[in-house]
Every structure is written in C-alpha cells, then in structure tokens.
Amino acid sequence: MTEAAEDQYLPQTGLAAKLNWLRAGVLGANDGIVSTAGLVVGVAAASSNTDAILTAGIAGISAGAISMAVGEYVSVSTQRDTEKALLEQESRELEQDPADELNELTAIYHAKGLSAETARKVAEELTAYDVFAAHAEAELGLNPDELTNPWHAALSSAVSFTVGALLPLLAILLPPESARIPVTMVAVLLALALTGSISAGLGGSSRPRAMARVVIGGALAMAVTYGIGQLADVTGI
C-alpha cells in the first residue's frame, strides 16, 4: 500500500475535533454576549444605579457560566458513555468472530471504491497493525485514544461564556451614564458580527447570512429587555 493510500485510512479526527472545540467556544462566547447584554441593558433601562447593573451582570455571568458548564458536562458525558459502549461491543465482536469482522472491514473499504483485492489487502494490513483501532475508525468513526472529555468541554464552555459576557458588562459600566446603552448596543452588535463571521468560516457557510442571524437575534434580545426595563421604570415595578 502506498504512503498516500495509508494516509487515506489513518483516522482524521484531530483537526475535526479541534475545529469542533473552536466552534463550540465561539458559540459559547456568543451566548455569553447575548444573554449578558440583554440582562444589563434591561437593568440599565430601569435604573441608573451602577451597583445594581454590576450586581445583575456578575450574577448573570456566574449563573450562565455554571449552567453552560453543567449542561456541556452532562451532554458530553452521555456522548462519552455511548462511545465507550460502542467500543466495548466492537471489542467483543472482534474476540467472538474475528474472521467475520475482517470480512466486514474488507466490505467497508470495497464500498469506498477500492477493488475487492485491494480492499482485502488494506483490511488485512490494518488488522495486523491494530485490529481494534482499525475497526473503531472504519465502523464507528472513533479513535479509542481520543474520546471526548466532559471536563474539558465543561471548562471550555464556562470560559468562553465568561469571556463573551465580560464585553457587554464592561461596555455598560465604563461609559458615562447617558451613553451606556448606545455604547453597549454598538459594541455587542459588532462583537456578534465577528462571532457570526468566525462561526461561518469554521463551518464553511455564508458569512453574511450567519452574521445577519446573530446580529438580528442580539438586537432583538436587547430591544425586548430594554422595553421591559423601561416599562419597569415607568410603572415603578
């Protein structure tokens, strides 16, 4: 088998996994921006008290980061448990009927376009090299040594959410009182345009469309909470 052919059948999970983590980080930051912006804009519309805005912002960031971390941990733990169960089942099948598993691996490569003879040779060589890894990658799309880590996912989500959330909090606290809400809205919409562009770039989709979605969504969220804050201020709630 040539070097190019060998490269074709090596697991290609590293880059894809990194891109998935990066995309998740961008989306986590986007969530932090939108949720915190909506919160602090709503509070600022109802009250000019800096301490109240700061307290609400910190509370929102803390609750959001913890919620994101817990949700991601549970989700990825479930995914990891599923991956481990599939790998254990594959290991049992290899022990119980290795000949049938070799035929199955051959069929997989034959279905990908290799001739029956070449597919058999590829299957035999990969089986001799690392039978478990060969079947895990070909049948399940998994690398047994690179299973998803729920702790990494939880930490990544919490950090990305917090980083994103700090922008609207700082944007509303640093300017003079009269400019707080306009400055925050502009900063948030620019940041959302950036995260939308990055997310689209990672996913290979249309940048303008992705940017428009997140910008419109963020603007709508801030408009709604601003309206609620104004109503609370007027009615004295």
Side-chain angles (χ1 to χ4, degrees), residues 181-233:
I181 293 178
V183 168
T184 302
M185 288 186 171
V186 170
V188 165
L189 295 181
L190 288 175
L192 289 176
L194 177 61
T195 60
S197 177
I198 294 173
S199 179
L202 293 173
S205 59
S206 169
R207 290 180 186 270
R209 185 179 304 168
M211 292 167 65
R213 281 198 299 262
V214 294
V215 168
I216 292 173
L220 181 61
M222 288 188 290
V224 170
T225 55
Y226 177 79
I228 293 173
Q230 284 282 285
L231 180 62
D233 184 34

mmCIF file of all heavy atoms in Angstrom, residues 181-233:
data_model
loop_
_atom_site.group_PDB
_atom_site.id
_atom_site.type_symbol
_atom_site.label_atom_id
_atom_site.label_comp_id
_atom_site.label_asym_id
_atom_site.label_seq_id
_atom_site.Cartn_x
_atom_site.Cartn_y
_atom_site.Cartn_z
ATOM 1 N N ILE A 181 -26.190 52.741 27.250
ATOM 2 C CA ILE A 181 -26.959 51.812 26.417
ATOM 3 C C ILE A 181 -26.554 51.892 24.945
ATOM 4 O O ILE A 181 -26.344 50.846 24.309
ATOM 5 C CB ILE A 181 -28.469 52.052 26.620
ATOM 6 C CG1 ILE A 181 -28.852 51.649 28.049
ATOM 7 C CG2 ILE A 181 -29.284 51.254 25.601
ATOM 8 C CD1 ILE A 181 -30.303 51.880 28.399
ATOM 9 N N PRO A 182 -26.396 53.082 24.362
ATOM 10 C CA PRO A 182 -25.951 53.128 22.962
ATOM 11 C C PRO A 182 -24.590 52.471 22.746
ATOM 12 O O PRO A 182 -24.399 51.718 21.771
ATOM 13 C CB PRO A 182 -25.900 54.625 22.658
ATOM 14 C CG PRO A 182 -26.853 55.245 23.616
ATOM 15 C CD PRO A 182 -26.751 54.430 24.864
ATOM 16 N N VAL A 183 -23.642 52.762 23.641
ATOM 17 C CA VAL A 183 -22.301 52.168 23.507
ATOM 18 C C VAL A 183 -22.372 50.653 23.612
ATOM 19 O O VAL A 183 -21.734 49.919 22.844
ATOM 20 C CB VAL A 183 -21.345 52.745 24.577
ATOM 21 C CG1 VAL A 183 -20.057 51.921 24.644
ATOM 22 C CG2 VAL A 183 -21.027 54.195 24.277
ATOM 23 N N THR A 184 -23.158 50.184 24.569
ATOM 24 C CA THR A 184 -23.286 48.736 24.759
ATOM 25 C C THR A 184 -23.899 48.071 23.534
ATOM 26 O O THR A 184 -23.430 47.024 23.075
ATOM 27 C CB THR A 184 -24.152 48.427 25.994
ATOM 28 O OG1 THR A 184 -23.557 49.027 27.137
ATOM 29 C CG2 THR A 184 -24.286 46.925 26.207
ATOM 30 N N MET A 185 -24.927 48.673 22.993
ATOM 31 C CA MET A 185 -25.584 48.089 21.822
ATOM 32 C C MET A 185 -24.646 48.014 20.627
ATOM 33 O O MET A 185 -24.585 47.000 19.932
ATOM 34 C CB MET A 185 -26.842 48.888 21.470
ATOM 35 C CG MET A 185 -27.983 48.690 22.457
ATOM 36 S SD MET A 185 -29.502 49.494 21.918
ATOM 37 C CE MET A 185 -30.687 48.852 23.100
ATOM 38 N N VAL A 186 -23.909 49.086 20.395
ATOM 39 C CA VAL A 186 -22.964 49.095 19.275
ATOM 40 C C VAL A 186 -21.877 48.048 19.484
ATOM 41 O O VAL A 186 -21.539 47.278 18.572
ATOM 42 C CB VAL A 186 -22.343 50.492 19.096
ATOM 43 C CG1 VAL A 186 -21.194 50.434 18.088
ATOM 44 C CG2 VAL A 186 -23.389 51.494 18.638
ATOM 45 N N ALA A 187 -21.292 47.999 20.695
ATOM 46 C CA ALA A 187 -20.224 47.048 20.988
ATOM 47 C C ALA A 187 -20.710 45.613 20.841
ATOM 48 O O ALA A 187 -20.010 44.749 20.282
ATOM 49 C CB ALA A 187 -19.693 47.285 22.401
ATOM 50 N N VAL A 188 -21.904 45.350 21.333
ATOM 51 C CA VAL A 188 -22.456 43.999 21.277
ATOM 52 C C VAL A 188 -22.735 43.582 19.838
ATOM 53 O O VAL A 188 -22.396 42.459 19.424
ATOM 54 C CB VAL A 188 -23.740 43.915 22.123
ATOM 55 C CG1 VAL A 188 -24.526 42.639 21.796
ATOM 56 C CG2 VAL A 188 -23.396 43.951 23.599
ATOM 57 N N LEU A 189 -23.327 44.448 19.062
ATOM 58 C CA LEU A 189 -23.644 44.090 17.676
ATOM 59 C C LEU A 189 -22.380 43.869 16.849
ATOM 60 O O LEU A 189 -22.338 42.968 15.999
ATOM 61 C CB LEU A 189 -24.521 45.166 17.041
ATOM 62 C CG LEU A 189 -25.914 45.325 17.672
ATOM 63 C CD1 LEU A 189 -26.708 46.410 16.952
ATOM 64 C CD2 LEU A 189 -26.677 44.005 17.647
ATOM 65 N N LEU A 190 -21.340 44.664 17.105
ATOM 66 C CA LEU A 190 -20.064 44.449 16.405
ATOM 67 C C LEU A 190 -19.445 43.109 16.818
ATOM 68 O O LEU A 190 -18.929 42.367 15.974
ATOM 69 C CB LEU A 190 -19.100 45.597 16.711
ATOM 70 C CG LEU A 190 -19.421 46.947 16.066
ATOM 71 C CD1 LEU A 190 -18.446 48.019 16.561
ATOM 72 C CD2 LEU A 190 -19.353 46.844 14.541
ATOM 73 N N ALA A 191 -19.508 42.815 18.107
ATOM 74 C CA ALA A 191 -18.946 41.548 18.596
ATOM 75 C C ALA A 191 -19.721 40.364 18.026
ATOM 76 O O ALA A 191 -19.128 39.346 17.642
ATOM 77 C CB ALA A 191 -18.982 41.513 20.119
ATOM 78 N N LEU A 192 -21.036 40.487 17.944
ATOM 79 C CA LEU A 192 -21.846 39.409 17.383
ATOM 80 C C LEU A 192 -21.565 39.213 15.894
ATOM 81 O O LEU A 192 -21.549 38.083 15.397
ATOM 82 C CB LEU A 192 -23.328 39.705 17.597
ATOM 83 C CG LEU A 192 -23.827 39.600 19.041
ATOM 84 C CD1 LEU A 192 -25.288 40.006 19.133
ATOM 85 C CD2 LEU A 192 -23.628 38.193 19.588
ATOM 86 N N ALA A 193 -21.346 40.308 15.192
ATOM 87 C CA ALA A 193 -20.983 40.197 13.775
ATOM 88 C C ALA A 193 -19.675 39.429 13.621
ATOM 89 O O ALA A 193 -19.526 38.599 12.716
ATOM 90 C CB ALA A 193 -20.866 41.588 13.154
ATOM 91 N N LEU A 194 -18.742 39.682 14.542
ATOM 92 C CA LEU A 194 -17.452 38.985 14.491
ATOM 93 C C LEU A 194 -17.615 37.504 14.787
ATOM 94 O O LEU A 194 -17.075 36.650 14.070
ATOM 95 C CB LEU A 194 -16.484 39.624 15.483
ATOM 96 C CG LEU A 194 -15.102 38.967 15.602
ATOM 97 C CD1 LEU A 194 -14.370 39.019 14.263
ATOM 98 C CD2 LEU A 194 -14.284 39.656 16.688
ATOM 99 N N THR A 195 -18.369 37.166 15.844
ATOM 100 C CA THR A 195 -18.550 35.751 16.174
ATOM 101 C C THR A 195 -19.329 35.028 15.078
ATOM 102 O O THR A 195 -19.049 33.869 14.772
ATOM 103 C CB THR A 195 -19.298 35.581 17.510
ATOM 104 O OG1 THR A 195 -20.590 36.199 17.435
ATOM 105 C CG2 THR A 195 -18.510 36.197 18.658
ATOM 106 N N GLY A 196 -20.288 35.719 14.467
ATOM 107 C CA GLY A 196 -21.024 35.111 13.362
ATOM 108 C C GLY A 196 -20.125 34.825 12.179
ATOM 109 O O GLY A 196 -20.222 33.773 11.543
ATOM 110 N N SER A 197 -19.218 35.759 11.897
ATOM 111 C CA SER A 197 -18.285 35.575 10.787
ATOM 112 C C SER A 197 -17.328 34.419 11.058
ATOM 113 O O SER A 197 -17.067 33.585 10.177
ATOM 114 C CB SER A 197 -17.496 36.869 10.566
ATOM 115 O OG SER A 197 -16.534 36.701 9.550
ATOM 116 N N ILE A 198 -16.814 34.347 12.286
ATOM 117 C CA ILE A 198 -15.885 33.267 12.639
ATOM 118 C C ILE A 198 -16.582 31.916 12.575
ATOM 119 O O ILE A 198 -16.049 30.940 12.039
ATOM 120 C CB ILE A 198 -15.304 33.503 14.040
ATOM 121 C CG1 ILE A 198 -14.422 34.753 14.049
ATOM 122 C CG2 ILE A 198 -14.483 32.291 14.495
ATOM 123 C CD1 ILE A 198 -13.936 35.157 15.426
ATOM 124 N N SER A 199 -17.794 31.853 13.137
ATOM 125 C CA SER A 199 -18.552 30.600 13.134
ATOM 126 C C SER A 199 -18.830 30.129 11.709
ATOM 127 O O SER A 199 -18.700 28.948 11.391
ATOM 128 C CB SER A 199 -19.856 30.791 13.894
ATOM 129 O OG SER A 199 -20.618 29.603 13.890
ATOM 130 N N ALA A 200 -19.203 31.067 10.835
ATOM 131 C CA ALA A 200 -19.464 30.708 9.436
ATOM 132 C C ALA A 200 -18.195 30.241 8.747
ATOM 133 O O ALA A 200 -18.220 29.299 7.955
ATOM 134 C CB ALA A 200 -20.056 31.906 8.700
ATOM 135 N N GLY A 201 -17.081 30.895 9.059
ATOM 136 C CA GLY A 201 -15.814 30.493 8.467
ATOM 137 C C GLY A 201 -15.420 29.082 8.860
ATOM 138 O O GLY A 201 -14.940 28.299 8.035
ATOM 139 N N LEU A 202 -15.639 28.733 10.121
ATOM 140 C CA LEU A 202 -15.296 27.391 10.600
ATOM 141 C C LEU A 202 -16.220 26.340 9.991
ATOM 142 O O LEU A 202 -15.804 25.218 9.727
ATOM 143 C CB LEU A 202 -15.394 27.341 12.125
ATOM 144 C CG LEU A 202 -14.366 28.175 12.895
ATOM 145 C CD1 LEU A 202 -14.685 28.167 14.384
ATOM 146 C CD2 LEU A 202 -12.957 27.643 12.655
ATOM 147 N N GLY A 203 -17.482 26.725 9.778
ATOM 148 C CA GLY A 203 -18.437 25.770 9.236
ATOM 149 C C GLY A 203 -18.526 25.774 7.723
ATOM 150 O O GLY A 203 -19.218 24.944 7.140
ATOM 151 N N GLY A 204 -17.850 26.729 7.079
ATOM 152 C CA GLY A 204 -17.874 26.794 5.628
ATOM 153 C C GLY A 204 -19.188 27.288 5.059
ATOM 154 O O GLY A 204 -19.522 27.007 3.901
ATOM 155 N N SER A 205 -19.969 28.039 5.860
ATOM 156 C CA SER A 205 -21.253 28.546 5.384
ATOM 157 C C SER A 205 -21.141 30.020 5.018
ATOM 158 O O SER A 205 -20.065 30.622 5.113
ATOM 159 C CB SER A 205 -22.330 28.353 6.466
ATOM 160 O OG SER A 205 -21.963 29.021 7.659
ATOM 161 N N SER A 206 -22.252 30.616 4.616
ATOM 162 C CA SER A 206 -22.268 32.009 4.183
ATOM 163 C C SER A 206 -22.027 32.955 5.358
ATOM 164 O O SER A 206 -22.795 32.945 6.334
ATOM 165 C CB SER A 206 -23.617 32.324 3.531
ATOM 166 O OG SER A 206 -23.772 33.711 3.330
ATOM 167 N N ARG A 207 -20.993 33.779 5.272
ATOM 168 C CA ARG A 207 -20.702 34.724 6.342
ATOM 169 C C ARG A 207 -21.790 35.783 6.519
ATOM 170 O O ARG A 207 -22.227 36.032 7.636
ATOM 171 C CB ARG A 207 -19.341 35.391 6.107
ATOM 172 C CG ARG A 207 -18.153 34.457 6.292
ATOM 173 C CD ARG A 207 -16.839 35.187 6.052
ATOM 174 N NE ARG A 207 -15.704 34.288 6.081
ATOM 175 C CZ ARG A 207 -15.005 33.992 7.171
ATOM 176 N NH1 ARG A 207 -15.351 34.538 8.324
ATOM 177 N NH2 ARG A 207 -13.980 33.162 7.118
ATOM 178 N N PRO A 208 -22.228 36.443 5.423
ATOM 179 C CA PRO A 208 -23.268 37.470 5.596
ATOM 180 C C PRO A 208 -24.535 36.931 6.250
ATOM 181 O O PRO A 208 -25.131 37.584 7.111
ATOM 182 C CB PRO A 208 -23.537 37.938 4.159
ATOM 183 C CG PRO A 208 -22.270 37.655 3.428
ATOM 184 C CD PRO A 208 -21.756 36.393 4.018
ATOM 185 N N ARG A 209 -24.941 35.741 5.858
ATOM 186 C CA ARG A 209 -26.164 35.173 6.413
ATOM 187 C C ARG A 209 -25.990 34.864 7.901
ATOM 188 O O ARG A 209 -26.858 35.160 8.719
ATOM 189 C CB ARG A 209 -26.527 33.894 5.659
ATOM 190 C CG ARG A 209 -27.866 33.283 6.072
ATOM 191 C CD ARG A 209 -28.156 32.035 5.266
ATOM 192 N NE ARG A 209 -28.126 32.300 3.823
ATOM 193 C CZ ARG A 209 -28.121 31.370 2.892
ATOM 194 N NH1 ARG A 209 -28.102 30.098 3.241
ATOM 195 N NH2 ARG A 209 -28.109 31.702 1.619
ATOM 196 N N ALA A 210 -24.845 34.280 8.255
ATOM 197 C CA ALA A 210 -24.590 33.955 9.659
ATOM 198 C C ALA A 210 -24.480 35.208 10.510
ATOM 199 O O ALA A 210 -25.001 35.271 11.628
ATOM 200 C CB ALA A 210 -23.308 33.126 9.774
ATOM 201 N N MET A 211 -23.803 36.220 9.975
ATOM 202 C CA MET A 211 -23.664 37.480 10.699
ATOM 203 C C MET A 211 -25.023 38.142 10.896
ATOM 204 O O MET A 211 -25.324 38.664 11.976
ATOM 205 C CB MET A 211 -22.710 38.409 9.947
ATOM 206 C CG MET A 211 -21.267 37.921 9.928
ATOM 207 S SD MET A 211 -20.224 38.815 8.749
ATOM 208 C CE MET A 211 -20.236 40.462 9.458
ATOM 209 N N ALA A 212 -25.850 38.116 9.861
ATOM 210 C CA ALA A 212 -27.171 38.731 9.958
ATOM 211 C C ALA A 212 -28.014 38.045 11.022
ATOM 212 O O ALA A 212 -28.717 38.709 11.797
ATOM 213 C CB ALA A 212 -27.879 38.673 8.602
ATOM 214 N N ARG A 213 -27.940 36.705 11.088
ATOM 215 C CA ARG A 213 -28.738 35.964 12.066
ATOM 216 C C ARG A 213 -28.389 36.368 13.494
ATOM 217 O O ARG A 213 -29.282 36.659 14.298
ATOM 218 C CB ARG A 213 -28.533 34.450 11.889
ATOM 219 C CG ARG A 213 -29.316 33.836 10.757
ATOM 220 C CD ARG A 213 -29.399 32.323 10.921
ATOM 221 N NE ARG A 213 -28.076 31.711 10.914
ATOM 222 C CZ ARG A 213 -27.522 31.142 9.850
ATOM 223 N NH1 ARG A 213 -28.176 31.129 8.704
ATOM 224 N NH2 ARG A 213 -26.332 30.601 9.930
ATOM 225 N N VAL A 214 -27.094 36.367 13.810
ATOM 226 C CA VAL A 214 -26.716 36.636 15.199
ATOM 227 C C VAL A 214 -26.906 38.110 15.556
ATOM 228 O O VAL A 214 -27.273 38.444 16.688
ATOM 229 C CB VAL A 214 -25.259 36.200 15.487
ATOM 230 C CG1 VAL A 214 -25.126 34.688 15.390
ATOM 231 C CG2 VAL A 214 -24.267 36.874 14.554
ATOM 232 N N VAL A 215 -26.654 39.006 14.588
ATOM 233 C CA VAL A 215 -26.837 40.436 14.854
ATOM 234 C C VAL A 215 -28.312 40.753 15.081
ATOM 235 O O VAL A 215 -28.673 41.471 16.029
ATOM 236 C CB VAL A 215 -26.261 41.284 13.704
ATOM 237 C CG1 VAL A 215 -26.708 42.733 13.838
ATOM 238 C CG2 VAL A 215 -24.736 41.215 13.708
ATOM 239 N N ILE A 216 -29.180 40.228 14.231
ATOM 240 C CA ILE A 216 -30.622 40.461 14.393
ATOM 241 C C ILE A 216 -31.117 39.852 15.699
ATOM 242 O O ILE A 216 -31.907 40.469 16.436
ATOM 243 C CB ILE A 216 -31.399 39.889 13.186
ATOM 244 C CG1 ILE A 216 -31.072 40.695 11.927
ATOM 245 C CG2 ILE A 216 -32.904 39.915 13.457
ATOM 246 C CD1 ILE A 216 -31.651 40.098 10.657
ATOM 247 N N GLY A 217 -30.653 38.648 15.997
ATOM 248 C CA GLY A 217 -31.057 37.997 17.243
ATOM 249 C C GLY A 217 -30.616 38.781 18.465
ATOM 250 O O GLY A 217 -31.388 38.965 19.415
ATOM 251 N N GLY A 218 -29.364 39.259 18.450
ATOM 252 C CA GLY A 218 -28.861 40.047 19.572
ATOM 253 C C GLY A 218 -29.591 41.368 19.711
ATOM 254 O O GLY A 218 -29.915 41.796 20.835
ATOM 255 N N ALA A 219 -29.840 42.024 18.579
ATOM 256 C CA ALA A 219 -30.565 43.302 18.611
ATOM 257 C C ALA A 219 -31.974 43.105 19.156
ATOM 258 O O ALA A 219 -32.464 43.926 19.950
ATOM 259 C CB ALA A 219 -30.615 43.905 17.213
ATOM 260 N N LEU A 220 -32.616 42.017 18.756
ATOM 261 C CA LEU A 220 -33.961 41.732 19.230
ATOM 262 C C LEU A 220 -33.966 41.474 20.738
ATOM 263 O O LEU A 220 -34.849 41.973 21.459
ATOM 264 C CB LEU A 220 -34.529 40.521 18.486
ATOM 265 C CG LEU A 220 -35.961 40.100 18.856
ATOM 266 C CD1 LEU A 220 -36.931 41.232 18.558
ATOM 267 C CD2 LEU A 220 -36.358 38.839 18.083
ATOM 268 N N ALA A 221 -32.985 40.711 21.203
ATOM 269 C CA ALA A 221 -32.903 40.411 22.639
ATOM 270 C C ALA A 221 -32.729 41.691 23.446
ATOM 271 O O ALA A 221 -33.400 41.888 24.474
ATOM 272 C CB ALA A 221 -31.743 39.460 22.906
ATOM 273 N N MET A 222 -31.837 42.572 22.997
ATOM 274 C CA MET A 222 -31.621 43.821 23.731
ATOM 275 C C MET A 222 -32.830 44.738 23.649
ATOM 276 O O MET A 222 -33.172 45.432 24.621
ATOM 277 C CB MET A 222 -30.362 44.524 23.202
ATOM 278 C CG MET A 222 -29.068 43.838 23.588
ATOM 279 S SD MET A 222 -27.592 44.776 23.151
ATOM 280 C CE MET A 222 -27.620 44.637 21.358
ATOM 281 N N ALA A 223 -33.503 44.752 22.512
ATOM 282 C CA ALA A 223 -34.699 45.596 22.361
ATOM 283 C C ALA A 223 -35.798 45.146 23.314
ATOM 284 O O ALA A 223 -36.465 45.972 23.953
ATOM 285 C CB ALA A 223 -35.184 45.549 20.918
ATOM 286 N N VAL A 224 -35.984 43.838 23.423
ATOM 287 C CA VAL A 224 -37.024 43.311 24.305
ATOM 288 C C VAL A 224 -36.712 43.628 25.766
ATOM 289 O O VAL A 224 -37.581 44.108 26.513
ATOM 290 C CB VAL A 224 -37.182 41.789 24.109
ATOM 291 C CG1 VAL A 224 -38.079 41.198 25.193
ATOM 292 C CG2 VAL A 224 -37.756 41.488 22.727
ATOM 293 N N THR A 225 -35.477 43.360 26.193
ATOM 294 C CA THR A 225 -35.147 43.612 27.605
ATOM 295 C C THR A 225 -35.108 45.106 27.911
ATOM 296 O O THR A 225 -35.459 45.520 29.020
ATOM 297 C CB THR A 225 -33.788 42.979 27.969
ATOM 298 O OG1 THR A 225 -32.772 43.465 27.074
ATOM 299 C CG2 THR A 225 -33.852 41.460 27.858
ATOM 300 N N TYR A 226 -34.706 45.907 26.927
ATOM 301 C CA TYR A 226 -34.745 47.358 27.126
ATOM 302 C C TYR A 226 -36.189 47.808 27.322
ATOM 303 O O TYR A 226 -36.490 48.626 28.207
ATOM 304 C CB TYR A 226 -34.126 48.068 25.921
ATOM 305 C CG TYR A 226 -34.199 49.585 26.010
ATOM 306 C CD1 TYR A 226 -33.291 50.291 26.795
ATOM 307 C CD2 TYR A 226 -35.185 50.291 25.323
ATOM 308 C CE1 TYR A 226 -33.365 51.679 26.892
ATOM 309 C CE2 TYR A 226 -35.268 51.674 25.421
ATOM 310 C CZ TYR A 226 -34.355 52.361 26.200
ATOM 311 O OH TYR A 226 -34.428 53.731 26.306
ATOM 312 N N GLY A 227 -37.095 47.292 26.511
ATOM 313 C CA GLY A 227 -38.501 47.643 26.645
ATOM 314 C C GLY A 227 -39.061 47.233 27.995
ATOM 315 O O GLY A 227 -39.815 47.982 28.629
ATOM 316 N N ILE A 228 -38.674 46.039 28.452
ATOM 317 C CA ILE A 228 -39.137 45.574 29.763
ATOM 318 C C ILE A 228 -38.583 46.467 30.871
ATOM 319 O O ILE A 228 -39.287 46.828 31.823
ATOM 320 C CB ILE A 228 -38.714 44.103 29.991
ATOM 321 C CG1 ILE A 228 -39.449 43.191 29.007
ATOM 322 C CG2 ILE A 228 -38.986 43.677 31.425
ATOM 323 C CD1 ILE A 228 -38.978 41.753 29.033
ATOM 324 N N GLY A 229 -37.305 46.845 30.726
ATOM 325 C CA GLY A 229 -36.699 47.725 31.721
ATOM 326 C C GLY A 229 -37.367 49.086 31.759
ATOM 327 O O GLY A 229 -37.612 49.649 32.834
ATOM 328 N N GLN A 230 -37.673 49.628 30.595
ATOM 329 C CA GLN A 230 -38.364 50.919 30.530
ATOM 330 C C GLN A 230 -39.752 50.829 31.168
ATOM 331 O O GLN A 230 -40.167 51.727 31.894
ATOM 332 C CB GLN A 230 -38.508 51.345 29.072
ATOM 333 C CG GLN A 230 -37.214 51.874 28.445
ATOM 334 C CD GLN A 230 -36.925 53.312 28.885
ATOM 335 O OE1 GLN A 230 -37.561 54.250 28.427
ATOM 336 N NE2 GLN A 230 -35.959 53.453 29.784
ATOM 337 N N LEU A 231 -40.447 49.732 30.912
ATOM 338 C CA LEU A 231 -41.774 49.536 31.485
ATOM 339 C C LEU A 231 -41.686 49.450 33.009
ATOM 340 O O LEU A 231 -42.522 50.039 33.724
ATOM 341 C CB LEU A 231 -42.396 48.264 30.914
ATOM 342 C CG LEU A 231 -43.801 47.901 31.411
ATOM 343 C CD1 LEU A 231 -44.791 49.013 31.026
ATOM 344 C CD2 LEU A 231 -44.243 46.561 30.851
ATOM 345 N N ALA A 232 -40.669 48.734 33.496
ATOM 346 C CA ALA A 232 -40.491 48.616 34.942
ATOM 347 C C ALA A 232 -40.180 49.974 35.561
ATOM 348 O O ALA A 232 -40.642 50.281 36.664
ATOM 349 C CB ALA A 232 -39.374 47.613 35.246
ATOM 350 N N ASP A 233 -39.393 50.785 34.856
ATOM 351 C CA ASP A 233 -39.034 52.114 35.361
ATOM 352 C C ASP A 233 -40.260 53.022 35.425
ATOM 353 O O ASP A 233 -40.482 53.732 36.405
ATOM 354 C CB ASP A 233 -37.960 52.731 34.467
ATOM 355 C CG ASP A 233 -37.470 54.073 34.993
ATOM 356 O OD1 ASP A 233 -37.415 54.247 36.230
ATOM 357 O OD2 ASP A 233 -37.170 54.949 34.159
#
